[in-house]
Amino acid sequence: MNASALRILAVDNEPSVTFSLRYIFNGPRYELSAVENGDAALARLDAGSQPYDVIIVDQKMPHMTGVELVGEIKKRGVTSKIMVLSAHISSEVRAAYERMDVHFMFPKPFDIGQLRSAVDQLAA
């Protein structure tokens, strides 16, 4: 593990998305971990290892939506920056994320350059 690498947790139930994110955020500058749902993300966060700099969340996942996951993350006092990457962002969902200080929301499909730039900006 690179101590200076930007630690990213990606939460998405679509393997093609997490595969793409691993390609976009590859080492040594980034260290990306991926989980398939909100429960797995919370378990990873509760394990108390090194904190993540950025958490990338999908909205539509089994068992727990992205909004529910972000709410749980905030309840736990996790200070990671959060961004949403989803094909399903209604105006109500967008407003819910904004109330929880999620400032970057990207539609799928996404622009690789814009996504990488937003992650770098969040971590700065």
Side-chain angles (χ1 to χ4, degrees), residues 41-99:
L42 293 174
R44 182 76 58 101
L45 293 169
D46 290 343
S49 62
Q50 255 188 315
Y52 291 95
D53 298 296
V54 177
I55 301 173
I56 301 173
V57 176
D58 184 19
Q59 169 57 21
K60 191 174 180 184
M61 299 178 288
H63 309 293
M64 185 182 304
T65 68
V67 168
E68 291 167 335
L69 173 58
V70 171
E72 287 299 318
I73 290 170
K74 296 291 184 177
K75 278 184 203 169
R76 284 166 163 76
V78 174
T79 59
S80 307
K81 303 289 187 195
I82 300 171
M83 69 181 341
V84 176
L85 185 61
S86 182
H88 307 278
I89 303 178
S90 66
S91 56
E92 296 84 13
V93 167
R94 179 175 293 277
Y97 280 124
E98 288 170 352
R99 284 191 297 274

